[in-house]
Amino acid sequence: MKKLFLSISILAAVVGCNPKQETKQVAFEMPAVEDIAMYQVNPRVFAPENSLNAVAARIDSIRDLGVNVMWVMPIYPIGIEKGKNSPYCISDYKAIAPEFGTIDDFKHLAQVCHEHGMGIILDWVANHTAWDHPWVKEHPDWYTRDEKADTIICPQPWNWEDVADLNYDNKDMREAMIDAMKFWIVEVGIDGFRCDVADGVPADFWKDAIEQLRAAAGDRKIVMLAEGKNEDNFTVGGFDMNYGWDYKDEIVKVWKGAPASDLIKADSAEYANLPAGKVKLRFTTNHDHSTEATPCVEFTNERGAMAAYVASIFPHGGALIYGSQEVSYPEPINFFKYVAVDWTANSAIYQEYKELIELYDEHPALRKGKMRAWSDDDVLIFEKTDAEESFLIIVNVRNESKAVRIPESWVGRETKDEVTDNDFKLESTLTLEPFQYLILK
């Protein structure tokens, strides 16, 4: 009978039938920022309700990809006044929307992440709130006003009408914002934040917030990711990572016909003045981009999407995969509403992403080794080397066969493609199939 009761309890936790999840502290340490491979969770592709439990139920599949940090999009109560059902329209910073579950459900998700060797970070929206956030009535001076100083405005220049712009000249508002962030670090036990529209918030606020959050976390390491690309994210704000927006834009241009060698220039530009130990997050899609087109469409087809991913994560880390990308979901995903994803739809693509991220995880040379590149219009070709290993990465960025000259230092070498396990003896030229890539060791 005792054994049966235990089995039922475990089953209830997995399928989300237990309304009061039992949580416990699990020994866990966040990976170094240079070693992060991140998985973005949009709860609205996991279930129409109780989606936090649905994410927890898929933890094995997510972790098996090789990722070590989960980023969860906003799960806070969503504003109704002027609202469009956007999760980035927040009416309470210290609660969870019933659509997604309960605070205990989220604590349970954090627990299973830690049990599986993964950190968990939350999306934080500091630039604006919902119009029906209590602060609007209780502290109207915490918001930006129009030129006549009598009407709260929406954020500019974006003109997001469903949210009210916060006034960072107000010290009391800053303190309340940091207090809300501390709640999730101290009371819930998350491992950091992805900060929305970070460039729209003063860098000196982030400096104060991040210093206080690290102090509140004590001995626990937290990671702070800015959705931004300003240099002061690092030099002033103290973030660990920010977005490789320019590099993603360059990948799109190359797939439309620009020279493949432009990616090397874009990579160098993003990392040229980056402070030591800081990282640009590299991706081929995220929740914003997938509202327009998923990678298998934006990069021509599935093979093009996989080639683009290799071109994205191996010149430099860190790596991001957006939930649904691993099964090559073909349609745009509007994150303002539930979208059903068939997680069994494309096991071959799932396996391919898994192999790429495992290579990224297992070989430091591939994510942070010294880079040497060779110019070519149609084929991206570069070397990644550290004291232990050397790799040659070759990516055909065209949807047609292309020949590439092999660097002299690699000609005649016996190599193996780490993805397919095929052996190669490199000649002076190599012909690649459409969107074919090789990771040669």
Side-chain angles (χ1 to χ4, degrees):
M1 183 60 123
K2 186 174 182 180
K3 184 175 181 181
L4 176 62
F5 177 79
L6 178 62
S7 300
I8 293 172
S9 298
I10 293 172
L11 178 63
V14 170
V15 300
C17 296
N18 184 359
K20 189 75 173 176
Q21 303 283 13
E22 183 179 345
T23 60
K24 60 182 178 181
Q25 293 296 320
V26 178
F28 171 77
E29 183 176 354
M30 280 287 281
V33 65
E34 293 173 306
D35 299 331
I36 285 176
M38 189 177 295
Y39 185 90
Q40 181 185 358
V41 166
N42 170 8
R44 285 175 165 167
V45 302
F46 283 85
E49 57 186 16
N50 296 320
S51 50
L52 292 174
N53 286 337
V55 176
R58 289 204 56 79
I59 195 70
D60 289 332
S61 175
I62 294 169
R63 183 64 183 94
D64 284 351
L65 283 167
V67 295
N68 51 25
V69 173
M70 177 186 289
W71 150 27
V72 182
M73 288 172 62
I75 39 76
Y76 320 97
I78 295 169
I80 304 231
E81 183 181 346
K82 301 184 185 180
K84 300 178 181 178
N85 205 32
S86 167
Y88 290 88
C89 176
I90 295 166
S91 62
D92 186 344
Y93 282 118
K94 292 185 179 181
I96 290 179
E99 168 192 348
F100 303 122
T102 67
I103 192 73
D104 287 323
D105 294 333
F106 186 79
K107 288 180 178 179
H108 174 67
L109 176 59
Q111 175 188 322
V112 297
C113 281
H114 290 166
E115 288 173 347
H116 286 74
M118 297 173 61
I120 182 168
I121 67 174
L122 257 181
D123 225 317
W124 194 258
V125 187
N127 186 70
H128 48 262
T129 73
W131 289 97
D132 46 5
H133 192 292
W135 289 356
V136 174
K137 289 185 177 179
E138 295 171 4
H139 305 285
D141 55 323
W142 290 8
Y143 291 84
T144 309
R145 304 299 187 96
D146 62 11
E147 293 180 355
K148 296 180 180 179
D150 59 1
T151 303
I152 296 173
I153 63 173
C154 63
Q156 301 300 321
W158 307 286
N159 203 34
W160 297 325
E161 296 179 352
D162 60 330
V163 289
D165 191 59
L166 285 164
N167 173 20
Y168 274 84
D169 290 335
N170 190 294
K171 293 182 179 180
D172 291 337
M173 186 278 291
R174 288 183 175 219
E175 291 176 6
M177 183 67 69
I178 295 171
D179 175 72
M181 297 178 81
K182 283 181 182 177
F183 168 80
W184 295 96
I185 296 287
V186 176
E187 301 298 327
V188 182
I190 67 168
D191 305 297
F193 293 99
R194 175 266 187 191
C195 297
D196 187 64
V197 199
D199 291 344
V201 173
D204 68 319
F205 166 78
W206 292 124
K207 179 179 186 297
D208 189 19
I210 291 172
E211 287 176 353
Q212 290 196 43
L213 292 175
R214 294 199 194 284
D219 294 335
R220 292 193 299 124
K221 185 191 303 181
I222 63 171
V223 66
M224 298 295 295
L225 164 63
E227 188 210 14
K229 62 178 185 179
N230 287 352
E231 187 176 332
D232 64 11
N233 295 158
F234 300 125
T235 58
V236 179
F239 281 98
D240 302 295
M241 311 174 75
N242 74 358
Y243 269 43
W245 283 122
D246 292 342
Y247 192 81
K248 165 63 197 295
D249 290 344
E250 203 61 47
I251 292 179
V252 173
K253 292 176 185 177
V254 167
W255 254 248
K256 290 180 178 178
S261 54
D262 283 359
L263 288 175
I264 302 303
K265 298 175 185 176
D267 175 73
S268 297
E270 283 197 336
Y271 270 82
N273 298 311
L274 206 65
K278 305 297 185 179
V279 170
K280 305 290 288 190
L281 186 66
R282 293 282 172 80
F283 48 86
T284 53
T285 195
N286 53 43
H287 66 284
D288 287 315
H289 289 177
S290 281
T291 61
E292 300 169 4
T294 52
C296 56
V297 173
E298 185 170 31
F299 298 105
T300 309
N301 54 33
E302 284 185 354
R303 298 317 316 148
M306 298 311 302
Y309 196 70
V310 172
S312 176
I313 71 169
F314 289 118
H316 278 101
L320 173 71
I321 184 166
Y322 175 54
S324 71
Q325 182 177 353
E326 72 267 38
V327 293
S328 195
Y329 188 81
E331 302 297 327
I333 293 177
N334 183 339
F335 61 89
F336 286 39
K337 62 183 182 180
Y338 170 63
V339 176
V341 168
D342 180 359
W343 299 103
T344 65
N346 201 325
S347 59
I349 291 295
Y350 173 91
Q351 187 64 31
E352 192 169 353
Y353 275 113
K354 176 180 178 180
E355 290 171 353
L356 291 174
I357 297 172
E358 284 178 348
L359 283 172
Y360 178 93
D361 287 341
E362 294 169 3
H363 301 281
L366 282 172
R367 62 183 182 272
K368 54 189 178 184
K370 183 179 179 181
M371 183 176 176
R372 182 184 179 194
W374 292 266
S375 295
D376 191 281
D377 285 347
D378 299 312
V379 179
L380 180 66
I381 180 166
F382 60 96
E383 179 185 72
K384 294 296 294 292
T385 304
D386 65 10
E388 303 294 329
E389 298 177 308
S390 224
F391 293 86
L392 186 68
I393 295 90
I394 307 173
V395 184
N396 181 3
V397 303
R398 309 296 179 217
N399 194 23
E400 56 184 289
S401 297
K402 293 292 179 181
V404 63
R405 291 186 62 83
I406 298 299
E408 288 187 12
S409 58
W410 283 79
V411 173
R413 288 194 192 185
E414 298 285 350
T415 66
K416 184 181 76 170
D417 180 15
E418 292 294 299
V419 176
T420 64
D421 283 334
N422 291 331
D423 293 323
F424 286 82
K425 182 173 182 179
L426 291 174
E427 305 295 339
S428 59
T429 61
L430 181 66
T431 299
L432 301 168
E433 296 300 313
F435 293 131
Q436 183 182 1
Y437 64 84
L438 301 169
I439 301 174
L440 301 176
K441 181 180 177 183

